[in-house]
Amino acid sequence: MTTILPPEKISETDESYSRLHQAIMKGQLLPNERLVELDLAQKFDVGRAAVRAAIARLAQEGLVGREPNRGAWVRAISEHEAIELYEARAVLEGLAAHKAAQLANAQDIADLRAIHSKMQSCFADEDLLQISELNAQLHAKILAIANHQAVTQLIQRLKAQQVRFQYRTILVPGRARQSLEEHLAIVDAIAQHDANAAEQAMRSHIMNVTQALKKSIKNGF
Amino acid sequence: MTTILPPEKISETDESYSRLHQAIMKGQLLPNERLVELDLAQKFDVGRAAVRAAIARLAQEGLVGREPNRGAWVRAISEHEAIELYEARAVLEGLAAHKAAQLANAQDIADLRAIHSKMQSCFADEDLLQISELNAQLHAKILAIANHQAVTQLIQRLKAQQVRFQYRTILVPGRARQSLEEHLAIVDAIAQHDANAAEQAMRSHIMNVTQALKKSIKNGF
DNA sequence: ACCAACAATATTGTTAACAATTATGACAAC
DNA sequence: GTTGTCATAATTGTTAACAATATTGTTGGT
């Protein structure tokens, strides 16, 4: 049962950080857009120092760039960088799938199957956007099962940087159907508690996503 | 040719950040030690705002903890966390070894062999500290060959958090000899441009390090 | 001796002003 | 038209003071 929370006073810095983070993730702040401290402070109704600290954190996270005396801007992740991030994610999510196969209980497996079944419906309806959403849910659920703090954090950070590319790969012709099959292989391996198979399935899945991204780059988006 | 650099004015924030980072890495600031902004500001001869920003960055990096209105402290990484960090490193350095095997040229391979040969000498001399140093060099060289920005950054961050455990594993009886053999397997695989073998060798190497850490934990250090 | 209430202190959070640096625009020289 | 110089404006970097909060110490009662 949830107790009534005391006003939960959140500091201006944390407030600014989350709002900036969200704004970047939602695409309200575009790549290369400048982050002028005073403007943001007025927009968020906080002090400039808070915005300043928030920007420092986001820079450390790799989401914004900075140069001394020249300010900060939303960092534009290049296609080459995006591919690198996918390669790193492939091995990290592979590790997560490995752990998940070892730890999954009956309920977890049922949840995974439920999500995958919804993906199949969406595929039939040609609802690619919803497939993307369910895709995220499936990966998140696997991470949750794996119960691995370090990997979870790292993947979270990589995903944040990749946000601009998140809808690109599912649009490559034939990718949706293939993606569905790959996810099934992952879920099956986890259901059978076959850790190595789960890891391998996850890795080749993300490697295929990477290939799709490369293809979409070659075709000029 | 190097031009004369203009005084290279570094901002107080960046100055504070590096000095704090170094102090934590070198063990001058111990785990759980409080980071009082004013004290640090005086010690570094900078403004409190600079220290404050530096602390925010280090918190984002996971090196220090914070609570609102209660300040910051050097985060003490638990043994369980250290094991998680090693597991993540295993797959990331495995990826690096994979890439390195694909990209290594003759000079790179000669460099790797030179480092490994020095390790052998140190093993004969029972100089475990120097072995640790060469170990770091070997891994750094492989990362450099792999030429993978994303993986390099992630590993750098993981290593920073693990600093307190860096000398523990080599002290486990029999680890030094085994480590030497494992590194040889890695270097050989890279020399033969066998990417999969290199990745596998690196992964099992770091997994063995993890086992050694677990063992040293069981034995109460 | 133990505990509660309160005051004193230490520390962080926030604000505003000022200084230093970089970007912008006007104007003259060529 | 282009370029260079200069003044102006915009923006970041730094400082100091104040406010809010948490910690510590003291006092008085039992």
Side-chain angles (χ1 to χ4, degrees), chain A residues 84 87 148 150 157 199 203, chain B residues 87 148 150 157 199 203:
Chain A
E84 279 199 357
E87 289 174 341
H148 198 292
R157 181 170 151 186
E199 173 165 11
R203 285 183 61 154
Chain B
E87 288 174 342
H148 198 292
R157 184 171 150 186
E199 174 165 9
R203 284 182 62 155

Side-chain angles (χ1 to χ4, degrees), chain A:
Chain A
M1 122 156 205
T2 58
T3 59
I4 305 292
L5 293 171
E8 185 69 29
K9 183 135 185 217
I10 193 163
S11 78
E12 287 193 358
T13 289
D14 293 340
E15 159 100 9
S16 308
Y17 171 76
S18 359
R19 291 188 67 173
L20 263 176
H21 198 282
Q22 280 187 0
I24 294 173
M25 296 291 278
K26 289 186 182 171
Q28 292 158 356
L29 289 171
L30 298 177
N32 294 321
E33 189 165 343
R34 287 190 61 194
L35 300 175
V36 176
E37 295 175 0
L38 195 57
D39 294 352
L40 294 170
Q42 287 167 348
K43 191 168 159 188
F44 296 158
D45 191 32
V46 298
R48 194 158 73 90
V51 172
R52 206 173 155 70
I55 287 176
R57 289 173 63 183
L58 289 164
Q60 193 69 19
E61 206 176 336
L63 243 46
V64 319
R66 310 189 67 181
E67 280 189 60
N69 290 316
R70 302 198 46 205
W73 60 92
V74 180
R75 214 160 78 76
I77 304 294
S78 72
E79 291 157 340
H80 173 256
E81 274 178 293
I83 289 170
E84 279 199 357
L85 297 173
Y86 266 120
E87 289 174 341
R89 266 185 75 179
V91 295
L92 289 171
E93 298 224 28
L95 173 56
H98 188 106
K99 293 278 172 189
Q102 293 173 329
L103 298 174
N105 61 32
Q107 182 60 57
D108 293 328
I109 293 167
D111 291 348
L112 290 176
R113 291 221 182 277
I115 296 173
H116 187 262
S117 147
K118 276 191 209 164
M119 289 177 80
Q120 282 179 311
S121 312
C122 291
F123 177 70
D125 300 349
E126 294 177 16
D127 186 347
L128 292 184
L129 197 66
Q130 183 63 12
I131 285 190
S132 263
E133 166 61 23
L134 289 165
N135 173 44
Q137 277 184 31
L138 190 70
H139 284 258
K141 177 66 187 171
I142 292 171
L143 264 185
I145 298 170
N147 192 33
H148 198 292
Q149 283 303 117
V151 166
T152 301
Q153 268 190 246
L154 292 173
I155 291 176
Q156 217 57 44
R157 181 170 151 186
L158 295 177
K159 269 174 66 176
Q161 293 188 307
Q162 278 182 322
V163 68
R164 213 159 57 90
F165 298 87
Q166 63 183 329
Y167 297 123
R168 280 255 294 263
T169 57
I170 199 67
L171 298 173
V172 171
R175 237 341 262 167
R177 170 181 295 279
Q178 198 191 343
S179 175
L180 206 58
E181 289 167 13
E182 289 163 5
H183 282 119
L184 183 59
I186 295 168
V187 172
D188 281 344
I190 292 176
Q192 291 165 34
H193 303 291
D194 187 337
N196 289 328
E199 173 165 11
Q200 195 47 56
M202 179 64 87
R203 285 183 61 154
S204 50
H205 165 55
I206 300 187
M207 281 304 178
N208 286 336
V209 173
T210 311
Q211 289 304 319
L213 177 59
K214 285 182 184 167
K215 192 176 291 183
S216 92
I217 290 171
K218 246 193 208 154
N219 298 347
F221 293 46

Side-chain angles (χ1 to χ4, degrees), chain B residues 39-50:
Chain B
D39 294 352
L40 294 170
Q42 287 167 348
K43 192 168 159 188
F44 296 159
D45 191 33
V46 299
R48 195 158 72 88

